[in-house]
Amino acid sequence: MPIANQYRSGLDKNAANYTPLSPLSLLARTAYVYPARAAVIHGQRRLNWAQVYERCRRLASALARAGVAAGDTVATMLPNVPAMYECHFGVAMCGAVLNTLNTRLDAPTIAFMLDHAETKVLLTDREYADTVAASLAGLKHKPLVIDVDDPSFDGGRRLGGIEYEAFIGGGDPAYEWFLPDDEWDAISLNYTSGTTGNPKGVVYHHRGAYLNAISNIVSWGMPPHAVYLWTLPMFHCNGWCFPWTMAANAGTNICLRKVDAPAIFDLIREHGVTHYCGAPIVHNTLINAPEEIKRGITHTVHCLVAGAAPPGAVIEGMQKMGFNLTHVYGLSETYGPAAVCAKQPEWDALPLDEQVRLNGRQGVWYHLQQGMTVMDPVNMQPVPWDGATMGEVMFRGNITMKGYLKNPQATAAAFAGGWFHTGDLAVMQPDGYVKIKDRSKDVIISGGENISSLEIEDVLYRHPAVLAVAVVARPDPKWGETPCAFVELKAGTSPDAQEIIAFCRERMAHFKAPKAVVFGPLPKTSTGKIQKFILREQAKSASAID
Ligand code: ADP
């Protein structure tokens, strides 16, 4: 017999005590409390929070008038411009779902996504006109195309019948936007990179977007009114939920169309930027920028790194530059970062190399995530906290996707056993912090031994001539696989392959050292990830040095 619980009856949810969690509420509050504060800055253009709120309501109204209904998809092919920021609110305000397309993708992939999501409206920037035109050409059901005509960009061409400002100009500034009936309703769709087969459509709900927006503030320790520079593409996992975070924070968004070191340092000085996010490559670009363009920053800049494991050299380089780096970890499926290498105050007194080692770990779950652990994916048993036994990183909690759109099989596999399987291989260290060793598909198996490509990369980043490096498996008739290093050199340096291999052999077990080295620029995605699948192909024809 269930025990009667006096707290369960006559105490039901109603409109006064329960509201679906949604990041849309955050914008409405900030526009109410801080209407005149700077919200979005792009070049000479400044919008305050009242204006942004009004523009988002106009967008929602104009979309609704154009026939967009609850559950329809509105896609964007946009860089970090004000319209992209507004789409993060305006689209959901009329019940629609935002799909931010990766602007570096090719036409067939874009066409696949537009078709798969049954996209009704596409907002696009002149810069991507050729790709977008080619992707639309083959579509049976063409979306309504709205051009976002950014005056700061020359070139490209318009594709649609209407420009964004005219479109929202026809919308109602007092549009009565609405929250979803259910916080579990979708707010956005983010396609994974699809390096194996078709991309999967990761669906976020209002609840998770709200919780991660707030968790970014709590887990990073962001003070109110941050000045946030958009070095991270907003198209990537909805900019790790930062469009919504910045509305909660009542801060200022500084737009940036593309990562460029001089522009970044200029904007940091001009606007007093306090916060920015990026993949290791973004931070590395700043570390390696000429000293003269770095001068004149007198305040502390706080930055998040994720997207790939930050090499020790990046953590150290940021520290030396005086930037306060925090390491976070996550995936598209976890709304961007859902774990943080939470800093312990006593680490500050440790030698720099020890601090670098500790901060290089992926850490522990975000405040508003429920859990992260490392398990054997077959028997779902946690690995011992010995820093040596490998398992798969698993997440659970409210900052985990709804599932993959129209893909029940992949969804079930991802959630098998009541945890989200990340595909990342890691160990659990004795203090309960997770340390990633590799992505399961990137680990190198040589003579039956697992070699972590990240470990070799970490060593190579310490070589003074190395600007960027990626290590992948190269088929080997004797060992099965051996490591092959692809190295991008700093200007004016010219070490040879022998020197690179010797540098590794001095610092790690000999069987882990690369057997082949290839010099040249590394293929990267727009989010700064090195495309190892391309390198794995190239490694097949690289010659080994014995
Ligand atoms: P995609 O899977 O399309 O490359 P994601 O952004 O979802 O895009 O990539 C998530 C992956 O990036 C993770 O599974 C992990 O392998 C890697 N990653 C992200 N952050 C970190 C980090 N801090 N340390 C190590 N790897 C990371």
Side-chain angles (χ1 to χ4, degrees):
M1 280 282 288
I3 300 163
N5 183 337
Q6 61 184 338
Y7 294 105
R8 288 234 169 113
S9 60
L11 297 169
D12 297 327
K13 285 182 194 162
N14 61 58
N17 66 13
Y18 181 88
T19 310
L21 301 181
S22 167
L24 303 181
S25 311
L26 303 171
L27 174 62
R29 178 181 185 275
T30 288
Y32 178 95
V33 184
Y34 303 106
R37 279 195 85 96
V40 178
I41 296 180
H42 182 42
Q44 295 309 307
R45 190 156 179 221
R46 277 172 179 264
L47 296 166
N48 64 31
W49 282 108
Q51 290 167 320
V52 168
Y53 184 40
E54 184 193 303
R55 290 167 59 81
C56 293
R57 292 169 84 174
R58 284 180 179 277
L59 171 60
S61 156
L63 288 170
R65 283 179 187 169
V68 173
D72 284 345
T73 306
V74 174
T76 58
M77 184 77 168
L78 297 175
N80 293 338
V81 291
M84 180 63 149
Y85 187 77
E86 290 156 9
C87 283
H88 277 82
F89 300 90
V91 169
M93 279 175 164
C94 67
V97 177
L98 177 66
N99 174 213
T100 54
L101 296 162
N102 180 330
T103 57
R104 294 268 183 91
L105 294 176
D106 56 17
T109 312
I110 298 284
F112 168 85
M113 293 171 180
L114 294 173
D115 183 50
H116 185 253
E118 302 173 38
T119 301
K120 296 285 188 313
V121 176
L122 170 66
L123 293 98
T124 182
D125 185 278
R126 272 184 280 113
E127 185 173 354
Y128 318 117
D130 288 345
T131 311
V132 172
S135 69
L136 291 172
L139 282 187
K140 265 206 237 95
H141 304 287
K142 292 201 188 356
L144 167 71
V145 177
I146 300 170
D147 289 293
V148 174
D149 198 354
D150 175 10
S152 80
F153 177 77
D154 288 328
R157 66 198 149 91
R158 288 198 197 175
L159 292 178
I162 186 155
E163 201 280 321
Y164 180 73
E165 292 299 329
F167 183 72
I168 67 168
D172 176 2
Y175 174 72
E176 296 228 1
W177 62 276
F178 51 90
L179 286 172
D181 294 337
D182 186 343
E183 60 192 19
W184 188 252
D185 280 352
I187 187 166
S188 64
L189 169 69
N190 287 287
Y191 283 95
T192 59
S193 55
T195 49
T196 48
N198 278 330
K200 296 194 285 273
V202 176
V203 182
Y204 293 3
H205 45 61
H206 280 252
R207 172 185 175 80
Y210 175 91
L211 293 171
N212 213 27
I214 302 295
S215 209
N216 277 332
I217 295 178
V218 182
S219 300
W220 195 2
M222 278 179 102
H225 313 306
V227 181
Y228 182 86
L229 178 63
W230 274 104
T231 39
L232 181 78
M234 268 187 248
F235 67 66
H236 190 61
C237 313
N238 297 113
W240 300 353
C241 295
F242 274 91
W244 302 312
T245 294
M246 292 312 295
N249 179 268
T252 304
N253 295 275
I254 312 294
C255 295
L256 183 70
R257 280 186 75 101
K258 78 180 206 321
V259 169
D260 167 61
I264 291 173
F265 284 110
D266 283 346
L267 289 169
I268 292 176
R269 277 184 293 263
E270 181 183 349
H271 298 293
V273 167
T274 56
H275 291 73
Y276 76 90
C277 300
I281 191 92
V282 173
H283 303 288
N284 208 23
T285 306
L286 300 189
I287 292 167
N288 287 299
E291 286 307 316
E292 59 273 18
I293 69 166
K294 298 184 186 171
R295 294 202 187 107
I297 297 169
T298 50
H299 63 282
T300 303
V301 181
H302 303 267
C303 36
L304 285 191
V305 63
V314 166
I315 300 178
E316 191 174 327
M318 294 306 282
Q319 190 137 337
K320 287 188 173 150
M321 219 161 76
F323 283 25
N324 183 9
L325 186 76
T326 299
H327 179 194
V328 292
Y329 157 69
L331 309 83
S332 301
E333 287 86 340
T334 61
Y335 297 73
V340 56
C341 185
K343 296 179 188 179
Q344 304 283 345
E346 55 273 21
W347 295 355
D348 291 345
L350 297 173
L352 181 60
D353 59 344
E354 187 59 4
Q355 289 187 34
V356 167
R357 184 186 71 76
L358 292 167
N359 283 313
R361 301 174 307 162
Q362 285 64 30
V364 294
W365 60 98
Y366 253 28
H367 288 75
L368 305 185
Q369 180 64 302
Q370 193 62 28
M372 174 176 72
T373 188
V374 181
M375 286 183 180
D376 176 327
V378 178
N379 64 21
M380 296 302 279
Q381 290 304 307
V383 298
W385 292 19
D386 59 7
T389 313
M390 287 251 245
E392 186 175 356
V393 184
M394 310 269 178
F395 277 106
R396 69 164 24 154
N398 297 314
I399 309 181
T400 307
M401 64 168 177
K402 281 179 82 148
Y404 298 114
L405 184 67
K406 301 178 193 165
N407 198 339
Q409 245 180 331
T411 303
F415 292 147
W419 288 85
F420 168 64
H421 298 235
T422 63
D424 290 316
L425 300 179
V427 296
M428 186 63 96
Q429 295 204 333
D431 60 353
Y433 277 48
V434 170
K435 168 76 182 170
I436 290 188
K437 291 291 180 180
D438 230 326
R439 272 185 151 181
S440 41
K441 59 179 188 286
D442 292 341
V443 81
I444 302 160
I445 306 173
S446 190
E449 299 271 3
N450 281 353
I451 305 178
S452 152
S453 62
L454 295 182
E455 191 183 332
I456 308 171
E457 290 162 14
D458 221 32
V459 167
L460 282 172
Y461 267 107
R462 303 200 165 272
H463 190 287
V466 170
L467 179 66
V469 58
V471 175
V472 299
R474 173 182 166 279
D476 183 290
K478 181 167 170 200
W479 301 105
E481 290 176 347
T482 51
C484 174
F486 288 81
V487 177
E488 199 171 312
L489 292 171
K490 289 185 188 160
T493 63
S494 55
D496 61 14
Q498 268 93 353
E499 182 185 332
I500 295 290
I501 292 171
F503 185 84
C504 291
R505 288 171 67 97
E506 280 161 27
R507 289 165 179 82
M508 62 199 320
H510 287 186
F511 78 95
K512 293 182 179 174
K515 294 265 183 302
V517 180
V518 181
F519 295 100
L522 300 175
K524 294 179 202 86
T525 67
S526 50
T527 50
K529 277 198 188 53
I530 295 166
Q531 294 173 300
K532 287 199 170 174
F533 66 100
I534 296 177
L535 297 178
R536 266 192 286 275
E537 278 307 305
Q538 294 176 8
K540 290 180 185 161
S541 53
S543 35
I545 295 175
D546 284 318

